[in-house]
């Protein structure tokens, strides 16, 4: 039960941190001046169009797409799994198997 709880906490925390880093640091650094995209001054590439969309709802300012959300979630889950494996290997106590269970009859 400890492992299951630790797994959920570590994975959930890693996904939350990856989304916070994405929306607070990466998106403002990549987009920069949002109004520059209104008049077409900035050249957008295919990768930019994959991760960001422009719609009339936001005044043609770029905003992250659904693919961006799932990609960041996937990356956060992968990082969380790596951290969980480190935690299991070094921090959680190892369970001991009793000799009675291992004996063949």
């Amino acid at each position: 039960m400890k492992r299951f709880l630790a797994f959920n906490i570590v994975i959930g925390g890693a996904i939350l941190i990856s989304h916070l880093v994405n929306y607070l640091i990466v998106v403002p650094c990549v987009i920069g001046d949002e109004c520059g995209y209104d008049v077409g001054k900035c050249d957008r590439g295919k990768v930019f169009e994959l991760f960001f969309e422009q719609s009339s709802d936001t005044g043609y300012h770029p905003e992250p797409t659904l693919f961006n959300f799932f990609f960041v979630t996937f990356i956060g889950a992968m990082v969380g799994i790596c951290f969980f494996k480190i935690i299991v290997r070094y921090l959680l106590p190892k369970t001991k198997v009793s000799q009675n269970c291992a004996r063949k009859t």
Side-chain angles (χ1 to χ4, degrees), residues 31 33-45 48-66:
I31 293 176
D33 181 25
E34 292 180 347
C35 294
Y37 293 96
D38 294 354
V39 293
K41 293 180 201 173
C42 297
D43 183 30
R44 300 175 313 190
F48 185 85
E49 289 178 1
L50 184 65
F51 287 102
F52 298 100
E53 68 181 351
Q54 292 176 314
S55 65
S56 61
D57 297 338
T58 60
Y60 296 103
H61 292 165
E63 60 183 14
T65 61
L66 193 60

Side-chain angles (χ1 to χ4, degrees), residues 11-12 15 17 21 27-28 34 36 38 55 57 66 73 75-77 84:
I11 298 294
I15 290 172
I17 290 171
V21 167
V27 170
E34 292 180 347
D38 294 354
S55 65
D57 297 338
L66 193 60
T73 302
I75 296 297
F84 178 72

Side-chain angles (χ1 to χ4, degrees), residues 88-101:
V88 165
R89 176 168 283 175
Y90 295 112
L91 297 179
L92 285 180
K94 295 181 178 165
T95 58
K96 294 182 179 181
V97 178
S98 66
Q99 293 297 325
N100 293 335
C101 295

